[in-house]
Amino acid sequence: MNLQDELHKLSEKIKQYRDEARVQMHLAREDVKDEWDDLEKDWERFRHKMDDILHDTEDAGHEARETAHRLGEDLKSGYQNIRKKLK
């Protein structure tokens, strides 16, 4: 699996975690809501970076793809953390 495939798979998993967490947000305490708000800002940055990389794959440098991958992994962990707090 190449890095672009991995990024696409990571993006889909993040979207799934995000959607699941959003459904449970009405039950969340205020501190979890603050964490959610911070993650939403990072989500938007990640989405823009992914759009840039996926639409311009040939010109996207390895460093840009690696940065997107690290940001995606951080987001995935953040959404997983929120999901655990909400259960």
Side-chain angles (χ1 to χ4, degrees):
M1 182 180 302
N2 65 33
L3 185 56
Q4 184 174 352
D5 292 337
E6 287 180 32
L7 287 172
H8 180 70
K9 184 178 176 182
L10 177 62
S11 180
E12 290 300 312
K13 184 56 82 174
I14 292 167
K15 183 181 181 305
Q16 176 189 344
Y17 289 163
R18 180 177 177 265
D19 291 344
E20 290 171 5
R22 185 183 322 135
V23 169
Q24 297 176 5
M25 281 305 295
H26 71 280
L27 303 173
R29 298 184 317 242
E30 195 62 38
D31 59 324
V32 175
K33 288 180 183 178
D34 290 342
E35 188 175 343
W36 173 265
D37 291 341
D38 291 341
L39 280 171
E40 285 296 279
K41 292 173 191 171
D42 291 339
W43 167 251
E44 287 303 317
R45 284 198 309 265
F46 176 76
R47 285 194 42 211
H48 290 326
K49 184 166 278 300
M50 285 296 297
D51 287 346
D52 291 345
I53 289 171
L54 294 176
H55 287 105
D56 206 12
T57 303
E58 296 301 317
D59 295 331
H62 180 73
E63 184 176 326
R65 291 189 299 267
E66 286 294 325
T67 299
H69 190 264
R70 279 192 305 275
L71 178 57
E73 289 294 334
D74 290 345
L75 278 167
K76 184 172 105 176
S77 295
Y79 285 119
Q80 284 174 326
N81 187 37
I82 285 178
R83 288 173 61 213
K84 287 177 189 174
K85 288 180 180 180
L86 295 175
K87 288 185 178 185

